[in-house]
Every structure is written in structure tokens, then in C-alpha cells.
Amino acid sequence: MASKPSIQKGTRDFSPTEVAKRQYIIQTIKNNFEKFGFQPIETPSFENSETLMGKYGEEGDRLIVKILNSGDYLAKANATHLESKDSTKLTASISEKALRYDLTVPFARYVVQHQNEIEFPFKRYQIQPVWRADRPQKGRFREFFQCDADVVGSKSLWQEVELVQLYDTVFTQLGLKGVTVKINNRKILSGIAEVIGASDKLIDFTVALDKLDKIGEDGVKTEMISKGITEDAIAKVQPLFNFTGSISEKIEKLGLLLASSEEGMKGVAELQFICESVTKLGLATATLDLDVTLARGLNYYTGAIFEVSAPAGVAMGSIGGGGRYDDLAGIFGLKNMSGVGISFGLDRIYLVVEELNLFPETVTATSKALFINYGDAEAFYAMQAIQKLRAAGIKVELYPDNAKMAKQFQHADKRTIPFAVIAGEKEMETNSYGLKNLVTGEQITVDFENLKAALQ
């Protein structure tokens, strides 16, 4: 007996309706990417392992999905590592490629490889799936789409200002009013680590601090201590755990806290420029907030960092994030190529829009009308109209079989097709069509032009 088919945890099949809704979100994001001057590129689903490994920190490296070498992958395996069952070291000899973890590192590789063809500053967007060997849970998948927009070749902070506006524009058009765009700066985190005498523990410090909303103040302190950060150092950053006030008030407090750190004060100045500019220009429905605990554990951010949270009352993790990386391309040999980018989390955005019932009723994968099939002669008459309607951009179809009327109408009902078009012998004689509203039951007789107008 054949086993029941299944799919991997953390992956999903999508129905026609779900795909239509996802495409609605993607198209909204894409349209605004292009409105803001970003150009599309695509990169392969998998990269050389060396391209990805070591770029996301220790936690990220563990989540990269490795691909076994083709053929007899054990033939070139390191015998010592194989015998000792050291899977970490063995991986390098049996897996030379891996599925991409995000779109940013592949983009950096793209920029370096194509630097002589690119006009800088280069504004690119990319909408493709990524993979992570993560533990599946609500809003967290092993395969999911990212929608990224990045600018490389410019250190101007106006790019950060525009990216905040881009978030605001997209979420406003999706009806997601009340999202919060959180902003911080890695220079500020570096400055804090410097002030408390823990510069050598910067990554441990930021990774722990980033978990404040998940494990609470005590959990963060416990993790910091476990990483070798002293209790005295932690006491010095106690104000960070209850950092309140307006953006300008928070920036003022940071200025006092980081007065002795040159790096930290650079971060304060950058934040002040971005936040003041965004505030003066104004946002439609989003709120900008300075969150000093926002750390994002990725190694490559060097300046501003962003994270977007859903409207209040929606239990969901971040629905977007990004930041400034001053030398990401440097890991591939191209120095002094500053960049900044943001990402939209399509799958989580979908869940939020669905939960808030914000998808327009017009978002559907179904046809607008089903032409009833009365036989070959009538079907040919129907197809002539269908051809013209499709040319006008209207989604219509013919029921393929000359089946019983009840079955054809039942098919339209199950597909939630709103109209049926009657094109029988009587209609052929009068060069007309019967248009039946399958929701109200009302039926009228129309000529082709009125049929087209009714279905548009």
C-alpha cells in the first residue's frame, strides 16, 4: 500500500485563493519598490557554502540549509571527521552548496561579481524565497519569501529616511494602519558596550539585548552573565531596560549616556538626523519609534537598524526589518561599498492582513463569469465572446463539457464564480447573451458591449 503523501514541516501548499492574496501583497510591494526607484534582480536558490557561512553569526550558521554533494557524497568525505562523527567539521567535505538564508548576502555577492556593469548608487529589489533550518511555529517557516529593497554605493542618510517612508507607503496601501517602525543604530550599541567596558563582548551583548521582548529583563541579564558580561557592566545599562519618552527625549538621554564614546555619539547624530527628517516630512499611518534594545543579531549591520511590528493587538513577530551595512561587499573583496536595505516579511504580513480581514473582496483567483456549454455550435459562439472579453482583460471561461446544466451551475458555485453567461441556440439567433448573477439569481439579456461592461 502506498504511503500517504506529505510535505516537510515548515513548508506549505497554497490554494488558488491563497496565491491570489499573496500576489496582491507582492504586487503592492513591487509597485512601490519601483515607485521609489528600485530595479529588480534575481539570484540562484542556492549558493556556494563559503558565500553564506560566517556571514550571519553563530546562530545564523546553524540555520543554513546545506545541500549534499551530488553522487557519492561520502567518497570525498574527510575520513577522520567521519570516523569521529564530527558532523560540524564533516559538513565542509560533503556539502559545497547551501540554500540561501536571506537575500542580502547573495546581493552583496552579485554586486561584487557585476560591479563593472552596475551604475552606482544601485537601487535593487528582489522578491524570492529563502530557507532556514528553523523550528516551525506560527509565523515562522522553513521556506518563506523575502521582499528586499537595498541601495549600495551611497552613505547618505537620506536613504534611511526614504526606506522608512517606503515602509509607511506599503503598509498604508495594504490597510495595515498603525504599524510601528522601530529604529536603532549599531554604533549606539557599540558605544554602550564601550562605556560599560564590554567591547569584546559586543555580539553577545547585542544578541542578548535583542531578546528583551521575548525573555524579559531577567532572562536577558542571565544570558549576558552566562556570556561573561559582569554584573557591574549590566548595572550600568539598567536604564536601557525601561527606556521611555519621545524620540527626541530618548536621543537626549542617549547623548548623556554615551558622551564618553566617540562611536556612540556618531550613532546618536545619525539617529537624530533620520528621526528629525522623518518627523518633519511626516508619515501617513505608521509610527516611528526609537527602540534602544533593538539589536538584530546579524553581524553585518553597522549603522541604522530597523524592525517593523504589526498594529497593536496582533500577536505576531516582526513583519519587516533591515539596516545599514557599511562594508558588506568587503567580505567578497569590494571595499568601501556602503549599503542600506529593508525587507518585508511576506508570510507574516499575509497572516496579519488575513487576521484583520483587510484583503479586498476583489482579490480572487477565480473567473468573473462561466459560459455554460450547450454543445459544440453554442460553445463556438461562446468562445468568440470569450476571446474578446479576455482581450479586454476580463477573466472568463467556458465549461469544457456539454454536461447537465445543474452540474455546470454547481461548478460555478463551488468556484465562487459570480456570473454565468447563457449562450444557447436562442441567444445565437438574436446575437445576445443571458447574464445571470449567481449571488442574487437575477438574469438579464444583453448584447456583447453590455456584457463586457457588466463584467468589467
Side-chain angles (χ1 to χ4, degrees):
M1 181 177 174
S3 60
K4 187 177 179 181
S6 63
I7 59 174
Q8 277 285 312
K9 290 181 179 178
T11 65
R12 296 147 296 160
D13 290 322
F14 297 107
S15 69
T17 299
E18 289 169 327
V19 170
K21 290 178 176 179
R22 286 167 64 85
Q23 289 298 326
Y24 161 72
I25 296 173
I26 289 173
Q27 197 60 48
T28 301
I29 295 171
K30 179 182 175 182
N31 288 346
N32 283 290
F33 280 167
E34 294 181 355
K35 190 188 298 181
F36 276 68
F38 294 89
Q39 298 175 289
I41 68 164
E42 292 187 357
T43 60
S45 299
F46 53 91
E47 298 270 352
N48 293 326
S49 294
E50 61 187 24
T51 299
L52 304 179
M53 296 297 289
K55 310 303 188 302
Y56 306 100
E58 189 178 330
E59 289 190 29
D61 279 356
R62 285 201 299 269
L63 299 181
I64 291 174
V65 179
K66 287 82 175 177
I67 302 173
L68 290 173
N69 293 339
S70 302
D72 185 3
Y73 58 87
L74 288 178
K76 295 182 180 179
N78 184 291
T80 303
H81 299 154
L82 184 60
E83 188 175 345
S84 64
K85 297 183 179 179
D86 188 335
S87 59
T88 302
K89 293 180 179 177
L90 179 64
T91 300
S93 61
I94 64 174
S95 172
E96 297 172 351
K97 50 191 177 292
L99 293 176
R100 59 172 174 248
Y101 175 91
D102 72 353
L103 299 178
T104 306
V105 170
F107 173 51
R109 190 263 312 148
Y110 176 94
V111 169
V112 174
Q113 276 195 254
H114 300 274
Q115 57 186 288
N116 295 325
E117 308 154 30
I118 294 173
E119 170 61 26
F120 294 103
F122 179 43
K123 301 177 74 170
R124 89 80 168 87
Y125 76 83
Q126 198 170 346
I127 302 176
Q128 288 186 279
V130 299
W131 295 266
R132 296 182 185 180
D134 214 343
R135 183 171 64 86
Q137 52 187 288
K138 182 184 178 183
R140 188 182 293 274
F141 306 101
R142 288 174 175 166
E143 178 185 64
F144 57 97
F145 266 73
Q146 281 189 341
C147 309
D148 283 14
D150 288 78
V151 188
V152 291
S154 171
K155 294 184 178 181
S156 170
L157 295 177
W158 286 113
Q159 307 291 1
E160 279 86 338
V161 173
E162 279 210 318
L163 290 174
V164 174
Q165 292 178 318
L166 177 56
Y167 268 140
D168 178 51
T169 303
V170 169
F171 288 122
T172 298
Q173 285 192 14
L174 290 174
L176 278 178
K177 300 177 181 179
V179 304
T180 300
V181 181
K182 300 176 184 177
I183 186 173
N184 197 14
N185 194 297
R186 284 300 288 258
K187 292 184 178 73
I188 283 175
L189 295 168
S190 298
I192 293 170
E194 180 186 339
V195 167
I196 66 175
S199 292
D200 60 329
K201 302 283 186 181
L202 174 61
I203 298 300
D204 293 330
F205 172 77
T206 56
V207 167
L209 191 63
D210 198 29
K211 297 177 181 176
L212 182 63
D213 61 338
K214 301 182 184 74
I215 61 178
E217 181 179 335
D218 292 338
V220 170
K221 289 179 177 178
T222 299
E223 182 167 330
M224 286 182 175
I225 290 171
S226 73
K227 296 294 185 179
I229 298 172
T230 66
E231 292 189 14
D232 286 343
I234 294 172
K236 291 179 182 177
V237 296
Q238 181 62 39
L240 299 181
F241 295 111
N242 295 286
F243 209 68
T244 57
S246 66
I247 289 180
S248 58
E249 289 170 342
K250 290 178 181 178
I251 289 175
E252 187 176 344
K253 291 177 184 177
L254 284 174
L256 295 173
L257 179 65
L258 299 172
S260 63
S261 169
E262 183 180 350
E263 182 77 355
M265 291 306 291
K266 285 180 183 177
V268 172
E270 290 178 9
L271 268 183
Q272 188 167 14
F273 177 86
I274 296 165
C275 293
E276 284 186 357
S277 298
V278 170
T279 301
K280 289 176 181 176
L281 288 165
L283 296 174
T285 62
T287 299
L288 181 65
D289 183 39
L290 169 52
D291 183 356
V292 77
T293 68
L294 177 60
R296 297 186 67 85
L298 301 177
N299 283 348
Y300 50 69
Y301 290 133
T302 57
I305 43 180
F306 302 103
E307 192 163 280
V308 184
S309 58
V314 179
M316 181 62 67
S318 65
I319 56 176
R324 165 74 65 173
Y325 40 89
D326 274 341
D327 197 28
L328 182 63
I331 58 180
F332 300 120
L334 183 60
K335 297 294 184 182
N336 302 317
M337 184 60 71
S338 184
V340 60
I342 58 172
S343 181
F344 290 81
L346 171 65
D347 298 283
R348 289 187 177 186
I349 292 171
Y350 180 103
L351 293 173
V352 174
V353 175
E354 183 89 309
E355 182 176 333
L356 297 177
N357 196 29
L358 295 174
F359 282 111
E361 291 183 9
T362 52
V363 176
T364 174
T366 194
S367 295
K368 194 70 181 283
L370 177 72
F371 280 70
I372 303 301
N373 191 329
Y374 289 91
D376 286 344
E378 293 87 344
F380 183 79
Y381 174 71
M383 284 298 293
Q384 290 175 300
I386 288 171
Q387 194 172 23
K388 294 176 185 176
L389 292 170
R390 287 173 177 167
I394 302 170
K395 294 189 286 186
V396 289
E397 61 184 279
L398 171 73
Y399 192 84
D401 303 312
N402 182 12
K404 292 181 179 179
M405 294 303 102
K407 183 176 182 179
Q408 297 190 49
F409 280 107
Q410 189 178 52
H411 177 76
D413 184 54
K414 288 181 178 180
R415 291 269 312 281
T416 63
I417 296 175
F419 292 97
V421 179
I422 314 300
E425 186 177 345
K426 176 183 173 184
E427 285 74 26
M428 289 174 65
E429 290 174 356
T430 57
N431 200 27
S432 63
Y433 305 87
L435 180 64
K436 184 171 184 177
N437 186 317
L438 297 179
V439 178
T440 65
E442 179 188 5
Q443 182 172 329
I444 58 175
T445 299
V446 294
D447 61 15
F448 177 77
E449 288 303 321
N450 285 313
L451 174 66
K452 184 170 76 170
L455 296 178
Q456 277 179 325

